């Protein structure tokens, strides 16, 4: 579901953080059913909120202390598995 054209559009395979950030810089609410790992409804993942907080803390710490640049020519593509991750990792300088 995370890479379906019907859900995310023609550019579904591209990494675009701006999909979830409004022009004012606020988070855009995306319904839980679009993220298969968290499910939706009364049986949604109990750790969802804490995982988002931890993810934000790690991202902020890294971005605050380092400058990142994706290696030229590196192809970012997903690996098909239960736990979503990148097939070749994310090569950065």
């Amino acid at each position: 579901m995370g890479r379906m054209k019907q859900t995310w559009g023609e550019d579904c395979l591209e990494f675009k953080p701006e999909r979830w950030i409004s022009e004012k810089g606020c988070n855009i609410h995306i319904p839980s059913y679009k993220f298969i790992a968290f499910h939706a409804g009364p049986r949604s993942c109990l750790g969802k909120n804490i995982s988002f907080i931890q993810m934000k803390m790690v991202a902020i710490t890294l971005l605050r202390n380092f400058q990142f640049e994706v290696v030229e020519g590196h192809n970012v593509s997903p690996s098909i598995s239960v736990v979503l991750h990148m097939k070749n990792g994310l090569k950065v300088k």
Side-chain angles (χ1 to χ4, degrees), residues 1-3 35-37 78-87:
M1 291 175 72
R3 296 178 295 276
F35 302 101
I36 195 159
S79 176
I80 298 175
S81 68
V82 175
V83 179
L84 298 176
H85 60 277
M86 289 180 266
K87 191 179 283 183

Side-chain angles (χ1 to χ4, degrees), residues 1-3 6-8 30-37 39-40:
M1 291 175 72
R3 296 178 295 276
Q6 304 95 295
T7 305
W8 300 106
I30 305 291
S32 295
Y33 67 85
K34 286 194 175 185
F35 302 101
I36 195 159
H39 303 290

